[in-house]
Amino acid sequence: MTTTSPAQTRGGARVAVQRFGTFLSGMIMPLIPALIAWGIFTAFFIEKGWTPNAQLATIVGPFIHYLLPILIAYLGGHLVYAVRGGVVGAIATFGVIAGSDFLIAQVNATLPADNQLGEVNMFIGAMIMAPIAAWTMKMLDRLWEGKVRAGFEMLVNMFSAGIWGFVMAIVGFYPLAWLINGLMNVLSTAVNWLVETNLLPLTSIIIEPAKVFFLNNALNHGVLTPLGLDQAATSDGGGSILFLLEANPGPGVGLLLAFTFFGIGAARASAPGAAIIQFFGGIHEVYFPYALMKPILIVALIAGGMTGVTTNMLLGGMLRAPAAPGSILAVMAQVANNSYVAVILSVILSAAVTFIVASIILRASRKRDLAAAELGTDSFSAAVSKTEANKGKKSDALSGLRGSATAPAATTDAAAAASTPAETAVTEREITNVVFACDAGMGSSAMGASVLRNKFKKAGVEGVTVTNKAIANLDPSADLVITQQQLTDRARGVTPDSMHVSVDNFMNSPKYDEVVEMVRRQRGDA
């Protein structure tokens, strides 16, 4: 008989939420360039834009009402069942969009001309319908897999996808469009109530702890982003405060600055570099270990988050579209309605409040921390490991914190790598295309690709392309795929003919030098 402890149950629930959030991120994060493009159109060409243009402004409405939901649908379907799933998911989602418009038109027919309902933009509808349509298509294909007569495979594949897309579009038009319109109405009403009653800052009580435990993606991409986009499309200012609830870099940099001045040991040594990565690079996870060292510091993050939200509420700060990654540069690029003063103040004040509260906590516990350090307790490394455990996988940004704080750790890693047979020792395939792969294909893999690209440049090696992708997007053109150890088996399953290299840390793995040396030997340069 197997029993499950409460801790195990919580861990299982947390992992399930994280996976759900990762899936939602997979639909939203690759779409950020399209959101940026829509934000630029809005900033320049709407009636209250910088350079109003009535003709070009006609792009703004269809862009957000049709293009963005269809792109979300294609990405969501693709995550479930590759291109076939993406196509069927997009067809089905168009049914949801048309059904929503039909319902709105029916209601508007009974309302006076000066009190008409606006369009409901089907972001949540796409995030629900597309995966369902793709998954059901996948199950249907399994029913006749291996049973189709030779020569009829293409005919069956094309007609089955077209017919099932037709069926799911009708399902989307009637029941699902009605459900999504109702859900959006409930959520919008709840947000408006929080704003009108000045209770929106209380959302920081949920958002800030959720970030530290990597549970924010489901909330951010599943609720805040769709609602924020809908608000941005219909508000007079062309933006939404919801985009600033989670992306504000102020609380994180405030915490890291407190450790810079009042921390001890490895945490203090690594905090300045982490602050730069968090504030300008937008990788918020680098401050999570500092909060986990002393969970009471989450109170400082909540106080800073509430300060930022309150400032934006009072002064009208908002963004046109999500700021991703959560860098101050991305935030400033998306500021709506010329509310730069409000947004900048929200970042500064939230950082200041977090800094003050965190400094008081750190000063109050300084003697105990110093005594623990003298006994050899490495609470910072333990917090980094706990953060990686919360994330559910290795993180080069977090491993970089551990490496920057203690040189011996880096030496140990190098020694371990030297004592382990290198995966890059021999290859018959000429390496011209190197791909760094991770879950989302952004952030950590991009940083690793930049490191190896610089190493090739310093070694005088030319003609090698180094890029970063999501594992799901790998293709046979990759000669060499570099992943973190926990992800290598997944990557190998996608591109079995490519060469695969596993690393612990994307930022400073000694295996990069082996890759460079191997390429030089292939070309007779060694």
Side-chain angles (χ1 to χ4, degrees), residues 4 25 35 69 126 139 163 165-166 184 248 292 323 351 430 453 491:
T4 303
S25 297
L35 294 173
M139 295 302 103
I163 293 170
F166 161 79
M184 289 294 291
N248 185 351
L292 290 176
E430 182 180 1
R453 206 177 288 122

Side-chain angles (χ1 to χ4, degrees), residues 229-245:
L229 287 168
D230 200 57
Q231 277 191 357
T234 56
S235 69
D236 293 335
S240 172
I241 190 177
L242 300 182
F243 296 133
L244 284 163
L245 299 187

Side-chain angles (χ1 to χ4, degrees), residues 26 33 36 116 125 347 356 407 505:
I36 291 173
Q116 298 282 294
V347 174
I356 293 170
N505 178 7

Side-chain angles (χ1 to χ4, degrees), residues 28-312:
I28 298 297
M29 291 300 288
L31 191 63
I32 295 300
L35 294 173
I36 291 173
W38 175 76
I40 294 172
F41 271 105
T42 304
F44 278 95
F45 302 130
I46 64 173
E47 186 176 350
K48 295 185 178 180
W50 299 331
T51 57
N53 186 311
Q55 294 176 346
L56 290 175
T58 59
I59 296 176
V60 174
F63 201 120
I64 194 170
H65 190 61
Y66 297 108
L67 178 61
L68 294 181
I70 294 300
L71 286 175
I72 291 175
Y74 182 83
L75 290 170
H78 192 281
L79 287 172
V80 175
Y81 196 29
V83 173
R84 190 167 173 81
V87 171
V88 174
I91 296 170
T93 297
F94 210 89
V96 183
I97 296 172
S100 172
D101 290 347
F102 174 77
L103 291 171
I104 296 295
Q106 295 292 101
V107 175
N108 282 339
T110 65
L111 297 175
D114 59 349
N115 188 30
Q116 298 282 294
L117 297 179
E119 293 175 328
V120 176
N121 298 309
M122 279 290 129
F123 303 107
I124 290 181
M127 297 169 80
I128 293 174
M129 173 52 90
I132 292 175
W135 182 80
T136 52
M137 184 74 257
K138 186 176 182 179
M139 295 302 103
L140 285 173
D141 281 349
R142 288 183 178 179
L143 293 178
W144 48 75
E145 185 177 0
K147 300 176 183 178
V148 180
R149 297 176 71 96
F152 289 85
E153 294 89 353
M154 181 177 292
L155 182 68
V156 171
N157 286 340
M158 294 300 178
F159 271 86
S160 61
I163 293 170
W164 191 244
F166 161 79
V167 171
M168 293 305 292
I170 293 177
V171 172
F173 189 94
Y174 286 108
L176 195 61
W178 181 82
L179 288 172
I180 298 302
N181 275 11
L183 177 62
M184 289 294 291
N185 184 54
V186 170
L187 293 175
S188 298
T189 301
V191 170
N192 291 334
W193 178 79
L194 289 173
V195 173
E196 291 170 0
T197 55
N198 297 320
L199 294 178
L200 192 63
L202 295 181
T203 57
S204 296
I205 297 174
I206 298 174
I207 291 172
E208 296 302 333
K211 288 180 69 174
V212 173
F213 292 100
F214 292 95
L215 300 176
N216 60 307
N217 277 345
L219 178 64
N220 189 30
H221 298 307
V223 179
L224 296 180
T225 295
L227 284 177
L229 287 168
D230 200 57
Q231 277 191 357
T234 56
S235 69
D236 293 335
S240 172
I241 190 177
L242 300 182
F243 296 133
L244 284 163
L245 299 187
E246 192 265 351
N248 185 351
V253 77
L255 179 67
L256 293 169
L257 289 176
F259 270 94
T260 299
F261 290 100
F262 302 109
I264 63 170
R268 180 175 185 175
S270 60
I276 293 173
I277 292 173
Q278 188 266 348
F279 194 65
F280 294 103
I283 302 177
H284 286 207
E285 68 187 52
V286 296
Y287 76 78
F288 299 169
Y290 299 85
L292 290 176
M293 283 180 66
K294 292 180 180 298
I296 189 65
L297 288 171
I298 295 177
V299 173
L301 294 171
I302 292 173
M306 294 176 69
T307 301
V309 176
T310 302
T311 303
N312 284 312

Side-chain angles (χ1 to χ4, degrees), residues 345-421:
L345 273 178
S346 73
V347 174
I348 294 174
L349 292 178
S350 62
V353 170
T354 300
F355 174 80
I356 293 170
V357 176
S359 297
I360 293 171
I361 294 172
L362 291 175
R363 292 292 294 172
S365 62
R366 187 174 180 82
K367 289 184 179 180
R368 293 194 302 272
D369 294 340
L370 289 171
E374 290 178 1
L375 295 175
T377 303
D378 189 0
S379 58
F380 181 66
S381 291
V384 172
S385 299
K386 186 175 181 180
T387 304
E388 289 182 329
N390 287 336
K391 186 173 184 179
K393 62 188 179 193
K394 283 277 188 180
S395 166
D396 41 289
L398 296 173
S399 299
L401 290 180
R402 189 187 287 113
S404 64
T406 55
T411 304
T412 302
D413 290 342
S419 62
T420 304

